[in-house]
């Protein structure tokens, strides 16, 4: 697929001046926003100033009857979201499913299959598969994507790492691509080695994040401390796979919070999965969430892979879902994102980098009551990945005003049924309509 596919002929890219009658989610509206007679938030009229959103006002009834002005576009209640953030993916592994044999069920079986597949990896192979993933993400309306990159070398840099870096440069202006080093936790046991690894990640530049796989089978509290100390020293944010298991004794999340507090960690720490929290003693889990609510820590739930990999045994129906305590976390003000995780690889044979499709899974897996109004922020809040104090740091109440005119419009969906009818959808980028989602 060539770049031209993403940028259709400019003649097709109209730039609306106003979008009239957009149905925005409740989380994106001011507290005093009026309600419609249905009790739903009233529609909004968005005024654009080239590539930015200049103003938002309740939909003017008169504008439905008045002759439209040049550049006005009527949405008539179509659902509108900011372009998506897909905060946890694995572009280096994506689309390998076609060449895998039979793998054992569960997380550890998938890891074995992945190790075997790595024999096929070349820079060209990684680039081809990752580009396919970026193209899908872009078509679906994503503007910020974070990928983990397997990093098994204790004294070198994996071949996929610079490939993702090159892709981040190539996609700049279309999509923010961040990359996280996915290292085994014991690689950080030696403080000098931990420092060396952090230095390599920091040398990559903006958008590089230090990460590790933290699991009860490789638990090492000293290594986790060294990782966080090295990240602090090199001014890096951290993104961990933590407690991706249903083992009540898993302690990665609790230890991460404790060490962050001890160190006065100033960057952002993102903890993906944290499935074990769902099977731990309820009161202690809530106390831990109370503590996390005081820290710059974001949780990411990955419903698709959790449903597929947790409680997985051949010939036995799974009993446990593996979704972490996202409702309890959110009730404590903890940023919670939902993300794709693995796409068409040994860990997950389905998926297509589509956050709306993911929300369908999350709605069922976590029994979300109002996905559009209450939970779609978990697909959109890229500021929840930013470090405290940064220009892009999390806002108490997000707004579209002054933000880039990057919007996803679901023309046939309504807030009761979304994410059903997530197609057709249109994507506005920098104030211009771009390619619609094909799948
Ligand atoms: Zn992952």
């Amino acid at each position: 697929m060539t770049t031209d596919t993403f940028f259709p002929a400019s003649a097709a890219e109209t730039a609306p001046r106003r979008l009239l009658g957009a149905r925005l989610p409740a989380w994106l509206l001011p507290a005093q926003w009026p309600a419609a007679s249905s009790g739903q938030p009233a529609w909004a009229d968005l005024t654009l100033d080239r590539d930015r959103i200049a103003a938002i006002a309740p939909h003017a009834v008169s504008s439905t009857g008045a002759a439209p002005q040049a550049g006005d576009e009527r949405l008539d209640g179509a659902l509108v979201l900011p372009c998506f953030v897909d905060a946890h993916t694995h572009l280096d592994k994506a689309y390998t499913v076609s060449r895998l044999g039979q793998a054992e069920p569960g997380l550890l079986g998938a890891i074995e299959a992945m190790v075997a597949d790595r024999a096929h990896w070349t820079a060209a192979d990684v680039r081809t598969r990752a580009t396919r993933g970026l193209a899908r993400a872009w078509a679906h309306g994503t503007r910020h994507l974070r990928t983990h990159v397997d990093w098994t070398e204790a004294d070198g840099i994996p071949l996929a790492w610079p490939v993702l870096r090159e892709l981040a440069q190539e996609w700049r202006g279309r999509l923010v691509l961040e990359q996280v080093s996915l290292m085994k936790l014991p690689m950080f046991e030696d403080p000098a080695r931990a420092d060396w690894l952090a230095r390599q990640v920091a040398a990559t530049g903006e958008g590089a994040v230090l990460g590790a796989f933290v699991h009860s089978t490789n638990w090492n509290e000293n290594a986790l401390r060294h990782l966080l100390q090295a990240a602090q020293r090199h001014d890096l944010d951290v993104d961990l796979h933590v407690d991706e298991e249903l083992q009540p004794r898993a302690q990665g999340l609790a230890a991460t919070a404790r060490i962050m507090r001890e160190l006065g960690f100033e960057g952002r720490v993102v903890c993906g999965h944290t499935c074990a929290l769902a099977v731990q003693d309820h009161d202690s889990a809530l106390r831990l969430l109370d503590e996390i609510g005081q820290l710059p820590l974001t949780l990411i739930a990955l419903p698709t892979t959790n449903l597929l990999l947790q409680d997985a045994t051949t010939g036995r129906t799974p009993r446990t879902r593996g979704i972490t305590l996202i409702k309890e976390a959110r009730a404590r003000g903890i940023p919670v994102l939902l993300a794709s995780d693995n796409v068409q690889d040994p860990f997950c044979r389905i998926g297509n980098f589509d956050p709306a499709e993911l929300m369908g899974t999350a709605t069922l897996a976590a029994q979300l009551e109002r996905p559009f109004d209450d939970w779609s922020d978990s697909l959109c809040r890229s500021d929840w990945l930013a470090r405290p104090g940064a220009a892009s740091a999390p806002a108490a109440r997000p707004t579209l005003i002054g933000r880039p005119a990057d919007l996803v419009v679901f023309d046939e969906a309504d807030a009761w049924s979304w994410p059903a009818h997530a197609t057709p959808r249109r994507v506005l980028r920098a104030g211009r309509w771009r390619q619609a989602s094909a799948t």
Side-chain angles (χ1 to χ4, degrees), residues 95 140 304 340 342-344 348-354 357:
Y95 303 114
H140 290 135
T304 315
S340 290
N342 298 86
V343 169
Q344 300 183 38
C348 182
R349 289 171 182 264
I350 61 168
N352 203 14
F353 296 100
D354 182 1
E357 179 184 293

Side-chain angles (χ1 to χ4, degrees), residues 51-63:
D51 60 347
R52 300 257 148 195
I53 296 166
I56 299 179
H59 182 53
V61 176
S62 61
S63 65

Side-chain angles (χ1 to χ4, degrees), residues 88 90 241 273 341:
H88 181 131
H90 293 266
H241 281 68
H273 293 291
D341 207 3

Side-chain angles (χ1 to χ4, degrees), residues 191-346:
R193 175 68 47 199
D195 191 75
W196 186 85
L197 291 168
R199 197 170 336 125
Q200 306 316 306
V201 172
T204 309
E206 195 183 344
V209 178
L210 190 64
F213 180 74
V214 181
H215 193 265
S216 62
T217 55
N218 72 5
W219 176 238
N220 184 325
E221 180 159 339
N222 278 338
L224 184 61
R225 180 171 284 102
H226 298 157
L227 182 158
L228 287 161
Q229 285 170 331
Q232 180 105 305
R233 216 163 25 244
H234 292 280
D235 206 22
L236 286 166
D237 287 340
V238 169
D239 193 328
L240 305 169
H241 281 68
V242 190
D243 304 344
E244 185 181 354
E245 55 187 312
L246 295 171
Q247 176 55 259
R249 71 164 186 273
Q251 51 194 305
L253 181 63
T256 301
R258 187 174 66 248
I259 297 169
M260 282 178 74
R261 218 179 41 244
E262 281 170 23
L263 299 180
F265 195 83
E266 290 168 355
R268 176 150 305 268
V269 174
V270 172
C271 290
H273 293 291
T274 66
C275 310
L277 199 59
V279 293
Q280 287 167 341
D281 168 71
H282 187 63
D283 290 341
S284 339
L286 294 185
R287 275 198 301 279
L288 175 56
L289 289 175
D290 287 339
E291 186 185 336
I292 287 172
Q294 310 303 312
L295 296 168
L297 193 155
T298 295
L299 294 178
I300 302 190
L302 298 310
T304 315
T305 41
N306 291 163
L307 286 172
L308 266 173
L309 297 177
Q310 299 305 308
D311 201 16
T313 307
T314 302
R316 175 182 173 276
T317 308
R319 313 292 205 271
T320 315
R321 294 174 186 225
I323 309 299
T324 196
L325 303 184
I326 59 174
K327 294 182 181 176
E328 293 82 352
R330 175 157 287 202
R332 286 158 176 78
I334 298 168
V336 175
L337 294 169
L338 298 167
S340 290
D341 207 3
N342 298 86
V343 169
Q344 300 183 38
D345 70 14

